[in-house]
Amino acid sequence: MEQYKGRSISLKIAAGPVFYYEKKQNRVKREHVEDTEAELRRLEEAKTAALEQLDRIYQKALKEAGQEDAAVFEVHKMLMEDKDYQESIRNIIEEQQVNAAYAAATAGDHFAAMLSEMEDVYMQARAADIRDVTERLVAALLGRDTDAADPDGPVILAAEDLAPSETVQMDKSKILAFVIRNGSANSHTAILARSMNIPAIMGVEVSREWNGRQAVVDGTAGTVVIDPDDSYLEEIRGKMAEETRRQTLLRELKGKPTVTKQGRAVRLYANIGNVTDIVNVQEYDAEGIGLFRSEFLYLGAKDFPTEEEQFLAYKQVAESMAGKKVIIRTLDIGADKKADYFQLEPEENPAMGYRAIRICLTRPEILKTQLRAILRASAYGNISVMFPMIISLGEVRKIKTIVEEVKGELKAAQFPYRDVELGVMIETPAAVLISRELAKEVDFFSIGTNDLTQYMLAADRQNPRLDAFYDGHHPAVLEAIRMVTENGHREGIWVGICGELAADLSLTKTFVDMGIDELSVAPGCVLQVREAIRELS
Ligand code: PEP
Ligand code: MG
């Protein structure tokens, strides 16, 4: 039995086999080759292997998901065999005397770029497919397994690091827990794990050797135990039974109001990143959705999600919440949340870089598509919109102009929509200091304490070495929250908190005393926050 200690992000416990997650390596080195004939032969062999893989996946998808979902792999087979695509790879090998993997990656980039510039939306969508096909071919050339990332059954996933875009694409039903070497407790991967209600331990020296071995992740102790012995398993079973008892007690609070003993009500909402998280929102009886991190729709995709795709996702969330409030946060991409197709350049200081509303206001077509989808979905429920990373009144005014433009377009096209509430996230010291002015422009504030803490304290939330400096209880952070609440109320708007601090039970009283109107937390935390509020006098 081996025991490792790390930083836990939840109090949950899980046991099962370990799956060591190998990152897909997309980078391919350009290498000069003398023997181009040998490279051409390797290309043919890799193509055959990749086609065999696609055949297997097609058959599996056909059995498990049906013809419609399996069809994509037939398209991939056709693309893999496409004459122009293969000829272009061969030409690059011969003319530039380079390795086949580099030639395939270059040809794939070229074809994907060409397709994405086409007028025809069907052809545009093929760009993502050609990228997938190329990734498979390159992996076969490099002797890597592209499908290794998919475990078969429920596993404890161990990884060196895990980007939010990778986390979001995983099949949650197969993940019992995450154990990650590099990663801070405040990163989006940690937040995602929390919203999936899955235990996670960060900062553990994971090892490939663990693959397939039994393990226990104990979030209450912050430990990972490999090859647990009988007496340890006995102890863990006792802890798990205790946790089940506690959950059963908490469940008695389902359907009960979130009010203090004095009768002061606080709206208790949940944070989600995906349509599928709604199950947990309902399971834990959240009164609304206080933060829908819409960028996870983008991170889970191979290309920009279309207006229609987004509309269907937002509509589904709005309808499932049946009239309860759903606050959609517009695209907050950048920093740790990256998708290749945005083609964001590497930055020295990404957290203080080109992200969130800054991208949306410099590439307004992206924001407009999203706003069209959100406003169209507003006809099907109770939707509000909020904007991340605001630092100025100018930004808010630009946003409002764009919202009006979009409404005009929808009206002209006879799409129904409602007059949604518009809010801003308070995540920067600038927004805190001008909050009185901002409050005159919007309908509500939602305080994003994850970023606010990072910017108030100049402590990068992604850096695990700074976990001790990144302190949400710092008087400067709490004073900022108090000031924003007071300024919002002076101007007659409501103020909520949607950062992770909202679920910190040691601060519940402080927030209620400050007059916070809404707390939005990971779905799995809703009932314990309700319990804490109901115990306040
Ligand atoms: C925040 O910053 O507190 C927040 C809710 O947004 P995110 O964690 O997605 O940056
Ligand atoms: Mg934020």
Side-chain angles (χ1 to χ4, degrees):
M1 175 166 128
E2 297 162 28
Q3 182 158 13
Y4 302 85
K5 189 136 179 67
R7 284 180 307 280
S8 171
I9 62 117
S10 79
L11 297 178
K12 293 174 68 79
I13 301 171
V18 176
F19 177 85
Y20 182 82
Y21 174 79
E22 302 266 5
K23 219 176 230 320
K24 287 185 192 168
Q25 298 285 346
N26 298 327
R27 284 185 174 277
V28 180
K29 274 207 209 114
R30 178 189 172 109
E31 284 161 19
H32 176 79
V33 294
E34 287 298 332
D35 190 354
T36 50
E37 283 302 316
E39 270 327 273
L40 291 172
R41 278 197 302 280
R42 294 189 57 239
L43 175 64
E44 273 313 299
E45 283 162 19
K47 187 176 94 183
T48 311
L51 284 168
E52 281 168 10
Q53 275 175 16
L54 283 169
D55 245 339
R56 278 197 303 276
I57 303 170
Y58 171 74
Q59 295 302 339
K60 187 164 178 257
L62 195 61
K63 220 165 63 209
E64 291 172 7
Q67 175 63 40
E68 210 175 310
D69 285 336
V72 63
F73 299 110
E74 289 226 293
V75 174
H76 283 199
K77 275 166 61 182
M78 274 160 51
L79 290 173
M80 184 71 81
E81 292 183 292
D82 183 84
K83 270 207 187 95
D84 292 341
Y85 173 62
Q86 288 295 334
E87 197 173 299
S88 156
I89 304 176
R90 283 197 296 274
N91 286 345
I92 296 174
I93 295 176
E94 284 174 329
E95 286 164 15
Q96 301 184 27
Q97 287 199 291
V98 288
N99 50 326
Y102 174 80
T106 310
D109 280 351
H110 168 72
F111 274 75
M114 205 169 70
L115 287 165
S116 61
E117 274 161 22
M118 287 187 173
E119 290 276 306
D120 182 341
V121 282
Y122 176 82
M123 295 310 276
Q124 281 175 14
R126 299 286 75 75
D129 291 313
I130 201 84
R131 276 192 213 105
D132 252 9
V133 165
T134 304
E135 198 175 298
R136 186 172 297 284
L137 183 59
V138 169
L141 278 160
L142 299 176
R144 293 184 189 133
D145 182 359
T146 24
D147 300 316
D150 297 325
D152 280 341
V155 291
I156 291 175
L157 191 135
E160 299 294 327
D161 52 53
L162 201 61
S165 56
E166 292 170 296
T167 320
V168 79
Q169 288 179 49
M170 282 173 183
D171 178 351
K172 288 178 210 171
S173 65
K174 292 186 180 162
I175 312 287
L176 298 166
F178 291 109
V179 182
I180 299 167
R181 183 199 296 254
N182 302 313
S184 81
N186 312 299
S187 65
H188 281 97
T189 299
I191 289 172
L192 270 171
R194 225 177 266 132
S195 75
M196 291 172 175
N197 214 14
I198 290 173
I201 310 268
M202 307 292 199
V204 177
E205 299 268 316
V206 299
S207 157
R208 192 176 276 110
E209 306 282 294
W210 296 358
N211 213 9
R213 289 161 70 182
Q214 288 299 313
V216 173
V217 170
D218 179 354
T220 62
T223 54
V224 184
V225 170
I226 308 291
D227 299 333
D229 61 23
D230 287 348
S231 79
Y232 179 74
L233 282 175
E234 189 64 21
E235 184 192 322
I236 280 297
R237 274 194 281 271
K239 270 192 169 181
M240 281 171 132
E242 181 49 43
E243 172 59 15
T244 311
R245 272 194 295 279
R246 161 117 182 100
Q247 286 299 331
T248 312
L249 280 179
L250 278 177
R251 268 160 219 271
E252 285 177 12
L253 293 175
K254 281 173 77 166
K256 300 241 166 89
T258 311
V259 283
T260 64
K261 288 191 176 130
Q262 304 277 321
R264 156 126 157 72
V266 176
R267 296 197 299 272
L268 184 54
Y269 291 175
N271 296 344
I272 63 166
N274 269 294
V275 178
T276 49
D277 293 340
I278 292 285
V279 181
N280 282 336
V281 173
Q282 284 160 347
E283 169 77 18
Y284 294 100
D285 191 35
E287 295 154 27
I289 290 173
L291 166 63
F292 180 176
R293 290 185 162 93
S294 68
E295 58 277 7
F296 288 112
L297 293 179
Y298 292 72
L299 292 180
K302 293 260 155 58
D303 209 336
F304 287 99
T306 61
E307 176 184 323
E308 204 57 27
E309 282 163 350
Q310 293 191 60
F311 162 67
L312 290 175
Y314 304 143
K315 174 170 174 273
Q316 196 180 335
V317 173
E319 284 180 339
S320 336
M321 292 303 288
K324 290 181 180 165
K325 195 186 276 296
V326 175
I327 305 177
I328 301 176
R329 188 255 301 273
T330 58
L331 180 66
D332 184 12
I333 210 133
D336 61 325
K337 291 178 283 193
K338 292 233 166 68
D340 289 346
Y341 57 86
F342 273 83
Q343 299 185 335
L344 300 173
E345 298 193 354
E347 292 175 298
E348 283 282 317
N349 293 302
M352 295 198 287
Y354 185 53
R355 57 170 291 203
I357 201 68
R358 301 171 183 181
I359 297 182
C360 286
L361 289 178
T362 46
R363 295 170 74 176
E365 69 290 352
I366 298 177
L367 181 61
K368 281 183 94 175
T369 303
Q370 181 170 36
L371 286 172
R372 280 177 67 93
I374 295 175
L375 284 169
R376 281 176 56 197
S378 72
Y380 299 85
N382 180 3
I383 288 183
S384 302
V385 196
M386 67 181 178
F387 301 88
M389 281 291 291
I390 294 296
I391 58 163
S392 72
L393 283 168
E395 286 168 342
V396 177
R397 291 189 183 130
K398 272 191 203 140
I399 289 166
K400 285 165 80 175
T401 310
I402 295 175
V403 171
E404 286 312 309
E405 267 170 43
V406 171
K407 282 185 178 170
E409 287 167 19
L410 291 180
K411 200 175 256 165
Q414 296 190 329
F415 279 116
Y417 64 86
R418 297 213 176 120
D419 267 333
V420 299
E421 267 191 329
L422 295 184
V424 287
M425 290 190 72
I426 304 290
E427 303 185 279
T428 62
V432 173
L433 294 177
I434 60 165
S435 52
R436 183 84 194 252
E437 294 309 305
L438 282 173
K440 295 178 182 146
E441 298 282 338
V442 295
D443 301 311
F444 67 95
F445 284 157
S446 186
I447 307 176
T449 51
N450 307 335
D451 277 316
L452 186 59
T453 304
Q454 116 165 309
Y455 298 124
M456 291 294 297
L457 306 182
D460 181 355
R461 67 193 266 195
Q462 285 301 114
N463 186 342
R465 292 227 295 273
L466 299 185
D467 277 358
F469 293 90
Y470 180 97
D471 174 17
H473 290 222
H474 192 291
V477 177
L478 297 178
E479 175 56 18
I481 298 172
R482 194 202 53 74
M483 182 177 162
V484 169
T485 311
E486 193 176 296
N487 282 338
H489 287 170
R490 277 193 186 138
E491 295 302 327
I493 66 168
W494 66 264
V495 182
I497 301 179
C498 63
E500 298 301 292
L501 221 51
D504 185 330
L505 302 180
S506 67
L507 288 173
T508 309
K509 181 172 177 352
T510 309
F511 295 149
V512 172
D513 288 347
M514 281 179 188
I516 282 289
D517 303 287
E518 175 241 31
L519 291 172
S520 192
V521 301
C525 298
V526 167
L527 293 176
Q528 60 213 44
V529 176
R530 179 169 297 157
E531 180 186 53
I533 291 176
R534 289 172 63 88
E535 278 168 6
L536 292 179
S537 45

Short mmCIF file of all heavy atoms in Angstrom, two decimals, residues 238-274:
data_model
loop_
_atom_site.label_atom_id
_atom_site.label_comp_id
_atom_site.label_asym_id
_atom_site.label_seq_id
_atom_site.Cartn_x
_atom_site.Cartn_y
_atom_site.Cartn_z
N GLY A 238 -16.04 2.74 6.42
CA GLY A 238 -16.68 3.43 7.54
C GLY A 238 -16.91 4.90 7.21
O GLY A 238 -17.99 5.45 7.41
N LYS A 239 -15.88 5.55 6.61
CA LYS A 239 -15.98 6.97 6.26
C LYS A 239 -17.06 7.18 5.20
O LYS A 239 -17.81 8.15 5.25
CB LYS A 239 -14.65 7.46 5.69
CG LYS A 239 -13.69 7.99 6.70
CD LYS A 239 -12.55 8.70 5.98
CE LYS A 239 -11.67 9.48 6.90
NZ LYS A 239 -10.59 10.18 6.21
N MET A 240 -17.11 6.23 4.24
CA MET A 240 -18.09 6.37 3.16
C MET A 240 -19.51 6.23 3.72
O MET A 240 -20.42 6.95 3.31
CB MET A 240 -17.85 5.33 2.06
CG MET A 240 -16.72 5.70 1.11
SD MET A 240 -16.33 4.32 0.03
CE MET A 240 -16.27 5.11 -1.55
N ALA A 241 -19.68 5.33 4.68
CA ALA A 241 -21.01 5.14 5.27
C ALA A 241 -21.42 6.42 6.00
O ALA A 241 -22.57 6.86 5.94
CB ALA A 241 -20.99 3.95 6.22
N GLU A 242 -20.44 7.03 6.69
CA GLU A 242 -20.69 8.28 7.41
C GLU A 242 -21.13 9.38 6.42
O GLU A 242 -22.09 10.12 6.66
CB GLU A 242 -19.39 8.69 8.13
CG GLU A 242 -19.45 9.94 8.97
CD GLU A 242 -20.65 9.96 9.92
OE1 GLU A 242 -20.96 8.93 10.56
OE2 GLU A 242 -21.28 11.01 9.98
N GLU A 243 -20.43 9.46 5.29
CA GLU A 243 -20.75 10.46 4.26
C GLU A 243 -22.16 10.21 3.71
O GLU A 243 -22.92 11.15 3.48
CB GLU A 243 -19.68 10.39 3.15
CG GLU A 243 -19.93 11.20 1.89
CD GLU A 243 -20.08 12.70 2.13
OE1 GLU A 243 -19.72 13.18 3.22
OE2 GLU A 243 -20.58 13.38 1.21
N THR A 244 -22.51 8.94 3.50
CA THR A 244 -23.86 8.63 2.99
C THR A 244 -24.91 9.09 4.00
O THR A 244 -25.94 9.67 3.63
CB THR A 244 -24.00 7.11 2.74
OG1 THR A 244 -22.87 6.71 1.98
CG2 THR A 244 -25.27 6.76 2.00
N ARG A 245 -24.63 8.87 5.30
CA ARG A 245 -25.58 9.30 6.34
C ARG A 245 -25.76 10.83 6.30
O ARG A 245 -26.87 11.34 6.34
CB ARG A 245 -25.08 8.89 7.74
CG ARG A 245 -25.54 7.48 8.15
CD ARG A 245 -25.33 7.24 9.64
NE ARG A 245 -23.92 7.24 10.01
CZ ARG A 245 -23.11 6.19 9.87
NH1 ARG A 245 -23.57 5.06 9.36
NH2 ARG A 245 -21.83 6.25 10.21
N ARG A 246 -24.62 11.53 6.14
CA ARG A 246 -24.68 12.99 6.12
C ARG A 246 -25.49 13.47 4.91
O ARG A 246 -26.32 14.37 5.00
CB ARG A 246 -23.24 13.53 6.09
CG ARG A 246 -23.07 14.94 5.64
CD ARG A 246 -22.50 15.84 6.72
NE ARG A 246 -22.40 17.21 6.22
CZ ARG A 246 -23.29 18.16 6.51
NH1 ARG A 246 -24.28 17.92 7.30
NH2 ARG A 246 -23.14 19.37 6.01
N GLN A 247 -25.25 12.84 3.75
CA GLN A 247 -25.98 13.22 2.54
C GLN A 247 -27.48 12.97 2.71
O GLN A 247 -28.29 13.76 2.25
CB GLN A 247 -25.45 12.44 1.32
CG GLN A 247 -24.08 12.90 0.82
CD GLN A 247 -24.09 14.35 0.36
OE1 GLN A 247 -25.09 14.89 -0.10
NE2 GLN A 247 -22.95 15.03 0.51
N THR A 248 -27.83 11.87 3.38
CA THR A 248 -29.25 11.57 3.58
C THR A 248 -29.89 12.67 4.42
O THR A 248 -30.99 13.13 4.14
CB THR A 248 -29.40 10.20 4.29
OG1 THR A 248 -28.56 9.28 3.61
CG2 THR A 248 -30.83 9.70 4.27
N LEU A 249 -29.16 13.11 5.46
CA LEU A 249 -29.69 14.19 6.31
C LEU A 249 -29.86 15.48 5.51
O LEU A 249 -30.88 16.16 5.62
CB LEU A 249 -28.74 14.45 7.48
CG LEU A 249 -28.85 13.48 8.65
CD1 LEU A 249 -27.83 13.84 9.73
CD2 LEU A 249 -30.27 13.54 9.25
N LEU A 250 -28.83 15.79 4.69
CA LEU A 250 -28.89 17.02 3.90
C LEU A 250 -30.09 16.98 2.95
O LEU A 250 -30.73 18.00 2.69
CB LEU A 250 -27.60 17.21 3.09
CG LEU A 250 -26.42 17.83 3.84
CD1 LEU A 250 -25.20 17.88 2.95
CD2 LEU A 250 -26.77 19.25 4.32
N ARG A 251 -30.35 15.79 2.41
CA ARG A 251 -31.45 15.67 1.45
C ARG A 251 -32.80 16.06 2.06
O ARG A 251 -33.74 16.40 1.34
CB ARG A 251 -31.51 14.27 0.88
CG ARG A 251 -30.72 14.17 -0.39
CD ARG A 251 -30.34 12.77 -0.75
NE ARG A 251 -29.00 12.78 -1.28
CZ ARG A 251 -28.70 12.95 -2.55
NH1 ARG A 251 -29.65 13.09 -3.43
NH2 ARG A 251 -27.45 12.98 -2.95
N GLU A 252 -32.88 16.02 3.37
CA GLU A 252 -34.13 16.44 4.00
C GLU A 252 -34.39 17.93 3.79
O GLU A 252 -35.48 18.42 4.01
CB GLU A 252 -34.11 16.10 5.49
CG GLU A 252 -34.30 14.62 5.69
CD GLU A 252 -34.22 14.20 7.14
OE1 GLU A 252 -34.24 15.08 8.02
OE2 GLU A 252 -34.12 12.98 7.36
N LEU A 253 -33.35 18.65 3.38
CA LEU A 253 -33.51 20.09 3.15
C LEU A 253 -34.02 20.40 1.75
O LEU A 253 -34.25 21.55 1.40
CB LEU A 253 -32.17 20.81 3.37
CG LEU A 253 -31.64 20.80 4.80
CD1 LEU A 253 -30.27 21.42 4.86
CD2 LEU A 253 -32.62 21.57 5.70
N LYS A 254 -34.18 19.36 0.94
CA LYS A 254 -34.71 19.58 -0.42
C LYS A 254 -36.13 20.11 -0.31
O LYS A 254 -36.92 19.60 0.48
CB LYS A 254 -34.69 18.28 -1.23
CG LYS A 254 -33.31 17.96 -1.77
CD LYS A 254 -33.24 16.61 -2.42
CE LYS A 254 -33.84 16.61 -3.80
NZ LYS A 254 -33.49 15.40 -4.55
N GLY A 255 -36.41 21.16 -1.07
CA GLY A 255 -37.77 21.73 -1.05
C GLY A 255 -37.99 22.72 0.08
O GLY A 255 -39.01 23.39 0.13
N LYS A 256 -37.02 22.82 1.03
CA LYS A 256 -37.18 23.78 2.14
C LYS A 256 -36.63 25.14 1.70
O LYS A 256 -35.68 25.21 0.92
CB LYS A 256 -36.39 23.30 3.37
CG LYS A 256 -36.84 21.94 3.88
CD LYS A 256 -37.35 22.06 5.30
CE LYS A 256 -38.10 20.84 5.75
NZ LYS A 256 -37.25 19.82 6.33
N PRO A 257 -37.18 26.23 2.23
CA PRO A 257 -36.70 27.56 1.82
C PRO A 257 -35.31 27.88 2.40
O PRO A 257 -34.95 27.37 3.46
CB PRO A 257 -37.75 28.52 2.39
CG PRO A 257 -38.42 27.77 3.47
CD PRO A 257 -38.31 26.30 3.16
N THR A 258 -34.56 28.70 1.66
CA THR A 258 -33.25 29.13 2.15
C THR A 258 -33.44 30.45 2.89
O THR A 258 -33.36 31.53 2.30
CB THR A 258 -32.27 29.29 0.96
OG1 THR A 258 -32.35 28.12 0.17
CG2 THR A 258 -30.85 29.51 1.44
N VAL A 259 -33.75 30.35 4.19
CA VAL A 259 -33.98 31.56 5.00
C VAL A 259 -33.28 31.41 6.34
O VAL A 259 -33.14 30.30 6.86
CB VAL A 259 -35.49 31.79 5.31
CG1 VAL A 259 -36.23 32.36 4.14
CG2 VAL A 259 -36.15 30.54 5.82
N THR A 260 -32.89 32.54 6.89
CA THR A 260 -32.29 32.50 8.23
C THR A 260 -33.43 32.35 9.25
O THR A 260 -34.61 32.48 8.88
CB THR A 260 -31.53 33.81 8.54
OG1 THR A 260 -32.49 34.86 8.56
CG2 THR A 260 -30.47 34.10 7.51
N LYS A 261 -33.06 32.14 10.50
CA LYS A 261 -34.10 31.99 11.54
C LYS A 261 -34.95 33.26 11.66
O LYS A 261 -36.09 33.22 12.06
CB LYS A 261 -33.44 31.66 12.89
CG LYS A 261 -32.91 30.24 12.89
CD LYS A 261 -32.51 29.81 14.28
CE LYS A 261 -32.09 28.36 14.27
NZ LYS A 261 -30.81 28.14 14.94
N GLN A 262 -34.33 34.41 11.32
CA GLN A 262 -35.05 35.69 11.36
C GLN A 262 -35.96 35.87 10.14
O GLN A 262 -36.61 36.89 10.00
CB GLN A 262 -34.05 36.86 11.32
CG GLN A 262 -33.00 36.84 12.40
CD GLN A 262 -33.55 37.44 13.67
OE1 GLN A 262 -34.29 38.40 13.63
NE2 GLN A 262 -33.21 36.83 14.80
N GLY A 263 -35.90 34.94 9.22
CA GLY A 263 -36.75 35.04 8.03
C GLY A 263 -36.12 35.76 6.85
O GLY A 263 -36.80 36.10 5.90
N ARG A 264 -34.81 36.03 6.93
CA ARG A 264 -34.17 36.71 5.79
C ARG A 264 -33.83 35.66 4.70
O ARG A 264 -33.12 34.69 4.96
CB ARG A 264 -32.91 37.41 6.27
CG ARG A 264 -31.88 37.64 5.20
CD ARG A 264 -31.45 39.09 5.09
NE ARG A 264 -30.13 39.22 4.48
CZ ARG A 264 -29.88 39.01 3.22
NH1 ARG A 264 -30.83 38.61 2.38
NH2 ARG A 264 -28.66 39.18 2.77
N ALA A 265 -34.39 35.88 3.51
CA ALA A 265 -34.19 34.89 2.43
C ALA A 265 -32.96 35.23 1.58
O ALA A 265 -32.67 36.40 1.32
CB ALA A 265 -35.42 34.86 1.55
N VAL A 266 -32.24 34.20 1.20
CA VAL A 266 -31.11 34.38 0.26
C VAL A 266 -31.39 33.45 -0.90
O VAL A 266 -31.79 32.29 -0.69
CB VAL A 266 -29.77 33.98 0.93
CG1 VAL A 266 -28.61 34.08 -0.06
CG2 VAL A 266 -29.49 34.84 2.15
N ARG A 267 -31.24 33.93 -2.13
CA ARG A 267 -31.48 33.05 -3.27
C ARG A 267 -30.27 32.13 -3.42
O ARG A 267 -29.13 32.61 -3.47
CB ARG A 267 -31.71 33.87 -4.54
CG ARG A 267 -32.98 34.71 -4.45
CD ARG A 267 -33.43 35.18 -5.81
NE ARG A 267 -32.44 36.01 -6.47
CZ ARG A 267 -32.35 37.32 -6.32
NH1 ARG A 267 -33.19 37.95 -5.53
NH2 ARG A 267 -31.43 38.01 -6.97
N LEU A 268 -30.52 30.84 -3.49
CA LEU A 268 -29.41 29.88 -3.54
C LEU A 268 -29.43 29.16 -4.89
O LEU A 268 -30.29 28.32 -5.15
CB LEU A 268 -29.57 28.90 -2.37
CG LEU A 268 -28.47 27.87 -2.20
CD1 LEU A 268 -27.10 28.51 -2.12
CD2 LEU A 268 -28.74 27.05 -0.94
N TYR A 269 -28.49 29.55 -5.74
CA TYR A 269 -28.45 29.05 -7.11
C TYR A 269 -27.24 28.12 -7.30
O TYR A 269 -26.40 27.99 -6.41
CB TYR A 269 -28.33 30.22 -8.10
CG TYR A 269 -29.56 31.10 -8.21
CD1 TYR A 269 -29.54 32.24 -9.00
CD2 TYR A 269 -30.75 30.80 -7.54
CE1 TYR A 269 -30.66 33.07 -9.13
CE2 TYR A 269 -31.87 31.62 -7.66
CZ TYR A 269 -31.81 32.76 -8.46
OH TYR A 269 -32.92 33.56 -8.58
N ALA A 270 -27.16 27.53 -8.50
CA ALA A 270 -26.04 26.63 -8.78
C ALA A 270 -25.26 27.09 -10.00
O ALA A 270 -25.80 27.76 -10.89
CB ALA A 270 -26.56 25.21 -9.01
N ASN A 271 -23.98 26.71 -10.04
CA ASN A 271 -23.13 27.00 -11.19
C ASN A 271 -23.06 25.77 -12.08
O ASN A 271 -22.86 24.66 -11.58
CB ASN A 271 -21.70 27.32 -10.73
CG ASN A 271 -21.63 28.56 -9.87
OD1 ASN A 271 -22.56 29.35 -9.84
ND2 ASN A 271 -20.52 28.73 -9.16
N ILE A 272 -23.18 25.97 -13.38
CA ILE A 272 -23.03 24.82 -14.29
C ILE A 272 -22.08 25.18 -15.44
O ILE A 272 -21.82 26.36 -15.70
CB ILE A 272 -24.38 24.35 -14.89
CG1 ILE A 272 -25.04 25.44 -15.76
CG2 ILE A 272 -25.33 23.90 -13.81
CD1 ILE A 272 -26.17 24.91 -16.62
N GLY A 273 -21.56 24.15 -16.10
CA GLY A 273 -20.69 24.38 -17.26
C GLY A 273 -21.25 23.69 -18.50
O GLY A 273 -20.75 23.89 -19.60
N ASN A 274 -22.28 22.88 -18.29
CA ASN A 274 -22.81 22.08 -19.38
C ASN A 274 -24.28 21.80 -19.18
O ASN A 274 -24.76 21.80 -18.05
CB ASN A 274 -22.11 20.71 -19.37
CG ASN A 274 -20.89 20.75 -20.22
OD1 ASN A 274 -20.99 20.90 -21.43
ND2 ASN A 274 -19.75 20.62 -19.59
#
